[in-house]
Amino acid sequence: MAADQRSKADTLALRQRLISSSCRLFFPEDPVKIVRAQGQYMYDEQGAEYIDCINNVAHVGHCHPLVVRAAHEQNQVLNTNSRYLHDNIVDYAQRLSETLPEPLCVFYFLNSGSEANDLALRLARHYTGHQDVVVLDHAYHGHLSSLIDISPYKFRNLDGQKEWVHVAPLPDTYRGPYREDHPNPAVAYANEVKHVVSSAQEKGRKIAAFFAESLPSVGGQIIPPAGYFSQVAEHIHKAGGVFVADEIQVGFGRVGKHFWAFQLQGKDFVPDIVTMGKSIGNGHPVACVATTQPVARAFEATGVEYFNTFGGSPVSCAVGLAVLNVLEKEQLQAHATSVGSFLMELLRQQKIKHPIVGDVSLPRRHRGVGLFIGVDLIKDEATRTPATEEAAYLVSRLKENYVLLSTDGPGRNILKFKPPMCFSLDNARQVVAKLDAILTDMEEKVRSCETLRLQL
Ligand SMILES: Cc1ncc(COP(=O)(O)O)c(C=O)c1O
């Protein structure tokens, strides 16, 4: 039976029987069965069209014809491992190097973000001769054992923090210890890292790396204050470690103004290692690690080969090249700036329109850059208590209104917008109009409950 002819109920029953429940579905109470997608739209088995506000993997748009064609054409000619000389891998490495600061000039190709971060960890350890890692609270860096260990978002629910892992506070100027009224949050948060490093050193630990997403996304769509990374890099380098920028969710022009999100931190800041995934292949399993000559040389000096069966195959590199071509041809980086600014302006208007009423959560603050935007839902302004249940309700109502959105952050109260880069001004208008209608409805419901309560 063709998969798209099977009823949704039958698919769900089969999935429940055959697939581990650890592999979760979006909207578990009423999952969406998606059978095709194009651009920024996804279609269910009934043909209903959803606006996709989540999928940062389908970076240049779902099933982009030029990316699909590049994979198909290369598949017809050759697909093998990178031990044979081939132009695609060198062409691709060259194109990527043109987007990066000069020192980041050695490339490794892999299949997933997790593989990229795991290799970054190995590179850091070989280069520094140290073992320990400093990470930001609530971070997620991948599903391999090595990365669960450096992902507070995961290890806090498992067997806890290893002795070689040290956690620094998220540089969150809304919820963290240093907020928007602090005179220099960048220095204050970087000093927290310095303190974490010193405490580790006092226990005889040696720092190999600081890992951070250039914009912490799982942590709640956080924009670290400018200058924070340079300060952190100074402390980490002093301790003999390297700076790893995880660009797996936020790279490839998503932030609009720059190609890489770490570039928001200033021209002078250059990480020692950059990891890429997700958007790099528009859905095809591609990932990459870029690093400096000294870091790569230290790894080579071990004499151990780095072999990855699928990484850097002619097809993967053709896909990666096609993604870069589309980004350029369709000027998607500039598009992310203009649509992102427009969406943020609409969200700002929502904030004005929906004052706090009782304990109804409302968007009180937006934060974002390009097409990486978060809306922090709170129960009240004074305490900034995360409006977790309200956020979940909003997301499920939006789904009923054919908008796919999700939440992030430790309180799961941050609405996250990270749509395919072809998301349009019109999409922004439609989504915010639906958000507005649902919020208005929520407020009315609360008002009528309040009236009823007073009458009783
Ligand atoms: C920031 C970040 N790093 C790494 C990963 C791991 O990537 P993958 O799932 O491709 O292994 C993810 C995946 O969600 C991620 O969000």
Side-chain angles (χ1 to χ4, degrees):
M1 184 193 287
D4 56 359
Q5 285 168 16
R6 184 177 285 129
S7 76
K8 183 166 143 180
D10 285 351
T11 307
L12 184 60
L14 271 177
R15 171 145 177 154
Q16 283 166 340
R17 182 153 64 81
L18 297 169
I19 308 296
S20 164
S21 62
S22 302
C23 306
R24 294 192 191 150
L25 287 161
F26 277 139
F27 314 109
E29 69 295 344
D30 180 25
V32 196
K33 182 173 178 182
I34 296 294
V35 296
R36 79 187 169 88
Q38 195 68 54
Q40 65 276 44
Y41 302 106
M42 301 184 95
Y43 300 87
D44 72 13
E45 80 288 3
Q46 311 280 353
E49 180 181 272
Y50 293 81
I51 302 178
D52 181 1
C53 301
I54 317 173
N55 244 295
N56 58 350
V57 175
H59 193 55
V60 297
H62 289 277
C63 306
H64 194 289
L66 295 184
V67 180
V68 172
R69 194 199 307 155
H72 180 62
E73 286 178 354
Q74 185 56 52
N75 254 319
Q76 287 179 309
V77 180
L78 172 74
N79 194 19
T80 185
N81 68 61
S82 63
R83 277 180 174 145
Y84 300 95
L85 261 184
H86 196 276
D87 280 330
N88 286 8
I89 190 168
V90 289
D91 286 345
Y92 188 34
Q94 195 161 21
R95 284 286 295 279
L96 284 174
S97 77
E98 286 159 12
T99 69
L100 286 160
E102 223 176 296
L104 294 161
C105 60
V106 185
F107 297 86
Y108 305 81
F109 292 104
L110 324 87
N111 313 300
S112 69
S114 296
E115 283 192 358
N117 279 336
D118 184 69
L119 177 61
L121 184 57
R122 287 179 68 194
L123 291 173
R125 284 177 166 165
H126 279 289
Y127 177 64
T128 62
H130 299 169
Q131 282 299 303
D132 289 21
V133 174
V134 180
V135 287
L136 292 177
D137 209 354
H138 309 295
Y140 175 65
H141 292 293
H143 60 79
L144 301 184
S145 305
S146 59
L147 305 172
I148 296 297
D149 285 345
I150 64 164
S151 298
Y153 168 70
K154 292 284 179 192
F155 71 60
R156 293 212 195 287
N157 298 321
L158 293 165
D159 48 359
Q161 191 169 336
K162 297 284 190 311
E163 72 289 355
W164 55 271
V165 178
H166 313 282
V167 181
L170 259 180
D172 177 351
T173 53
Y174 186 61
R175 297 189 171 280
Y178 312 110
R179 299 190 172 183
E180 60 274 19
D181 54 353
H182 191 280
N184 198 339
V187 169
Y189 280 112
N191 281 340
E192 291 285 333
V193 175
K194 185 179 173 193
H195 176 68
V196 165
V197 169
S198 313
S199 311
Q201 287 173 325
E202 277 160 24
K203 290 182 210 135
R205 312 295 318 184
K206 291 183 174 158
I207 307 301
F210 172 80
F211 269 72
E213 271 193 274
S214 300
L215 300 173
S217 45
V218 174
Q221 309 284 98
I222 306 294
I223 319 275
Y228 168 70
F229 278 3
S230 306
Q231 296 276 326
V232 168
E234 222 175 289
H235 302 316
I236 294 294
H237 288 154
K238 214 182 256 173
V242 297
F243 193 114
V244 181
D246 179 333
E247 289 269 339
I248 288 162
Q249 290 223 27
V250 295
F252 290 88
R254 172 158 298 278
V255 301
K257 228 192 294 181
H258 302 283
F259 198 80
W260 300 107
F262 70 76
Q263 292 169 318
L264 290 165
Q265 290 283 318
K267 264 208 301 289
D268 297 338
F269 173 68
V270 179
D272 302 287
I273 301 175
V274 173
T275 58
M276 311 164 200
K278 292 194 190 273
S279 51
I280 186 173
N282 214 53
H284 188 84
V286 189
C288 177
V289 174
T291 192
T292 61
Q293 288 282 359
V295 171
R297 296 293 93 90
F299 193 56
E300 289 156 13
T302 63
V304 176
E305 178 190 18
Y306 179 75
F307 177 63
N308 188 315
T309 302
F310 304 119
S313 74
V315 170
S316 291
C317 293
V319 166
L321 277 163
V323 171
L324 295 180
N325 289 340
V326 174
L327 279 169
E328 235 176 73
K329 187 165 167 250
E330 297 181 7
Q331 299 179 15
L332 291 177
Q333 205 178 314
H335 181 78
T337 299
S338 56
V339 178
S341 305
F342 180 67
L343 176 54
M344 277 185 272
E345 184 44 42
L346 294 182
L347 292 168
R348 226 171 269 135
Q349 289 166 16
Q350 288 299 296
K351 177 180 153 176
I352 298 161
K353 191 165 172 193
H354 296 283
I356 277 180
V357 183
D359 64 353
V360 177
S361 72
L362 295 165
R364 300 300 299 161
R365 188 174 186 266
H366 77 278
R367 48 175 171 250
V369 52
L371 282 172
F372 176 89
I373 299 167
V375 179
D376 196 316
L377 299 174
I378 57 173
K379 287 189 192 283
D380 80 89
E381 185 81 59
T383 60
R384 298 183 179 180
T385 306
T388 308
E389 301 77 23
E390 294 85 346
Y393 176 74
L394 202 52
V395 163
S396 99
R397 289 282 307 271
L398 281 166
K399 193 243 337 184
E400 287 164 15
N401 285 275
Y402 306 103
V403 173
L404 300 175
L405 199 68
S406 64
T407 57
D408 239 329
R412 298 222 63 89
N413 64 312
I414 320 288
L415 296 182
K416 57 177 178 189
F417 289 86
K418 39 184 190 177
M421 297 273 280
C422 47
F423 193 79
S424 68
L425 295 173
D426 220 36
N427 294 145
R429 265 187 225 105
Q430 290 167 333
V431 169
V432 176
K434 289 179 182 194
L435 187 73
D436 185 17
I438 297 167
L439 282 173
T440 305
D441 183 50
M442 282 165 75
E443 287 165 6
E444 268 162 23
K445 282 199 173 104
V446 168
R447 261 195 299 271
S448 42
C449 282
E450 244 340 82
T451 314
L452 197 64
R453 200 176 58 82
L454 288 174
Q455 284 167 355
L456 293 172

